[in-house]
Amino acid sequence: MYTKSKALFEQAGKVIPGGVNSPVRAFRSVGGTPVFMQHAKGAYLYDEDGNRYIDYINSWGPMILGHAYEPVVKAIQEYATYSTSFGAPTKLEVEVAELIVSMVPNIDMVRMVNSGTEACMSALRLARGFTGRNKVIKFEGNYHGHADSFLVSAGSGVATLGIQAVPGVTAAVADDTLSAPYNNLPAVEQLIAEHPDQIAAIIVEPVAGNMGCILPQPGFLEGLRTLCDTHGILFIMDEVMTGFRLARGGAQELFGIRADLVTFGKIIGGGMPVGAFAGRREIMEHIAPAGKVYQAGTLSGNPVAMIAGYTLLKTLQEHPAIYTQLEEKTNRLVAGLRETFGAAGIVYQVNHIGSMMSVHFAEYPIIDFTAASGANNELFKRFFHAMLERGVYLPPSAFESWFVCQALTQEDIEFTINAARSAMQAIK
Ligand code: HOZ
């Protein structure tokens, strides 16, 4: 079934560390050989051995309308003929920035970068430059890319591989990162009290997507906003996963909470390597060349990536019904899975909001990293492989969110629920 993938993984291991270019995809926490993808269309992935899978990763979020969405592909083809990189300003970058500012609340300006990592790293530098303070508060199990400051108590691959302290991150950098349990306001208050006038920013995933999908408890984000206002701290919402996915204006719009800085990732490039950070003019004008906080990049605002993002975001802007439909699809899937797990007599939690969801095999609510880590990840592992064999591609780690795409049909959802039923019978 996976002959070519196995051969490719062996070949890859000789020239790429761990055989992959990003750790989670190595399948380390679920075991077995990663599946090498050849092409994708709509809701389906096709691997090198010719197996088809319904995709619930969707490139970790950006394929919200499905893979190889035709208008995006056509736009890329057309723009690639103009040049694949100028390293100079273009009209298109201005139009993309205007589009983003028109869709996202509370921002006046946006700076393009090449990934979510760059976006969060740059937003933190800006927060430090703006406030003149050094420390940042983040949350256990939240992941803001792989810049040094954020690898303390990080989710995603760091959690998946169980890495406690990342070699290469100096103690000085780690000391400036304070971390609190997600959904725990008193812990944040205590950190602020212990470090008066030293905290530049609080950065949070408004819906955590890097320890499974974990929702903010009522009052959590509001409480963070108030603490930031009271103590002169900048509130950074990492919307790399939630931006343009939970609503056209992301989590800020959905929850009605204002951030001072917002970071975005791959969805801004329609799946191409793009990120961005954005905020109010008075803060953003500290970025060079308007201000002294330096940030730069030859590939930033790359024309091919910009047209892909513009085409995708414009579609989302013009068709708000997509969000209701995505939520309905997710709700149907969640209901079917709950019924299946219930009938199988196992303990489970299915967290979901909009088109993000995840499954943890636990009897208690999953509201933070400790809870996520305590779930039955052995069972998740077996469930993952049983689903893969049945043609359903889930994130290969319980510490990741599932993403539903618009190309998914009712039949695909029923197929997934039936696969889960049969998987449960096979692994119990
Ligand atoms: N860290 C990414 C999701 N949280 C996964 C990256 C990848 O393997 O593509």
Side-chain angles (χ1 to χ4, degrees):
M1 190 171 181
Y2 309 119
T3 319
K4 288 190 181 154
S5 281
K6 280 185 179 153
L8 279 168
F9 191 45
E10 209 180 299
Q11 202 181 329
K14 294 180 186 144
V15 283
I16 302 174
V20 289
N21 280 315
S22 192
V24 178
R25 30 181 119 147
F27 278 26
R28 287 269 169 111
S29 80
V30 290
T33 306
V35 179
F36 280 63
M37 297 306 170
Q38 195 208 50
H39 70 283
K41 182 71 192 160
Y44 309 124
L45 295 169
Y46 298 85
D47 72 12
E48 289 284 349
D49 288 285
N51 302 306
R52 191 196 84 165
Y53 308 90
I54 298 178
D55 185 15
Y56 287 100
I57 297 184
N58 284 295
S59 190
W60 310 94
M63 297 302 157
I64 188 165
L65 301 180
H67 289 276
Y69 178 64
E70 231 149 85
V72 171
V73 173
K74 278 207 178 115
I76 291 174
Q77 284 167 340
E78 187 191 331
Y79 266 70
T81 63
Y82 302 161
S83 175
T84 50
S85 180
F86 296 113
T90 63
K91 181 175 158 214
L92 183 57
E93 288 168 282
V94 185
E95 288 168 351
V96 176
E98 284 173 350
L99 179 61
I100 292 170
V101 168
S102 75
M103 291 175 78
V104 178
N106 311 313
I107 64 166
D108 302 316
M109 304 186 105
V110 53
R111 168 61 64 89
M112 289 295 164
V113 292
N114 299 294
S115 67
T117 290
E118 269 190 56
C120 293
M121 177 183 92
S122 309
L124 177 57
R125 184 181 304 138
L126 173 57
R128 285 173 165 153
F130 180 79
T131 59
R133 301 171 178 183
N134 289 345
K135 295 199 186 295
V136 57
I137 296 179
K138 73 174 286 290
F139 294 92
E140 291 166 9
N142 278 199
Y143 180 74
H144 308 290
H146 61 87
D148 288 1
S149 305
F150 299 124
L151 290 176
V152 175
S153 306
S156 190
V158 181
T160 299
L161 297 174
I163 297 172
Q164 305 298 330
V166 178
V169 174
T170 64
V173 169
D175 281 353
D176 276 337
T177 303
L178 311 171
S179 69
Y182 196 66
N183 277 322
N184 189 331
L185 273 181
V188 179
E189 280 166 23
Q190 194 180 328
L191 286 175
I192 296 173
E194 284 167 3
H195 302 87
D197 301 325
Q198 293 174 58
I199 318 273
I202 295 178
I203 185 166
V204 69
E205 289 182 64
V207 170
N210 286 286
M211 45 180 170
C213 171
I214 300 188
L215 275 59
Q217 299 294 287
F220 177 57
L221 296 174
E222 291 84 345
L224 293 180
R225 176 69 267 174
T226 306
L227 284 172
C228 285
D229 287 340
T230 311
H231 298 279
I233 296 168
L234 290 190
F235 189 24
I236 309 177
M237 273 199 200
D238 177 344
E239 296 232 42
V240 168
M241 284 182 172
T242 53
F244 305 96
R245 174 163 276 278
L246 293 185
R248 286 179 295 179
Q252 283 195 96
E253 177 186 319
L254 186 72
F255 297 118
I257 299 185
R258 176 177 57 83
D260 297 308
L261 288 171
V262 195
T263 59
F264 298 105
K266 37 227 161 197
I267 198 162
I268 288 230
M272 300 286 288
V274 180
F277 59 104
R280 292 195 307 280
R281 184 177 313 280
E282 83 218 51
I283 303 174
M284 291 300 286
E285 282 193 336
H286 281 69
I287 287 286
K292 288 186 184 162
V293 179
Y294 200 73
Q295 189 283 322
T298 296
L299 295 175
S300 301
N302 173 273
V304 181
M306 287 298 98
I307 194 61
Y310 184 83
T311 311
L312 179 65
L313 297 185
K314 198 76 190 157
T315 309
L316 297 173
Q317 186 189 44
E318 287 169 358
H319 300 91
I322 287 172
Y323 291 99
T324 326
Q325 290 158 10
L326 279 169
E327 188 165 10
E328 283 165 6
K329 287 174 203 268
T330 311
N331 288 347
R332 170 68 201 117
L333 178 61
V334 167
L337 289 178
R338 284 188 170 146
E339 205 179 304
T340 304
F341 297 141
I346 50 155
V347 293
Y348 68 91
Q349 303 292 327
V350 185
N351 288 350
H352 69 107
I353 183 165
S355 55
M356 291 173 70
M357 59 175 285
S358 68
V359 170
H360 288 96
F361 295 113
E363 60 197 329
Y364 46 80
I366 305 296
I367 58 158
D368 59 17
F369 184 64
T370 306
S373 306
N376 186 344
N377 289 333
E378 260 317 298
L379 184 57
F380 180 87
K381 200 166 156 171
R382 285 188 281 140
F383 178 62
F384 168 83
H385 279 291
M387 292 298 274
L388 191 70
E389 279 163 26
R390 286 161 179 75
V392 179
Y393 193 72
L394 304 177
S397 164
F399 295 106
E400 297 288 352
S401 181
W402 308 14
F403 296 95
V404 170
C405 79
Q406 179 68 352
L408 197 73
T409 63
Q410 278 309 319
E411 291 73 51
D412 296 328
I413 295 169
E414 297 314 320
F415 181 97
T416 307
I417 295 166
N418 285 331
R421 202 167 294 137
S422 142
M424 275 296 141
Q425 278 161 6
I427 65 177
K428 257 188 60 174

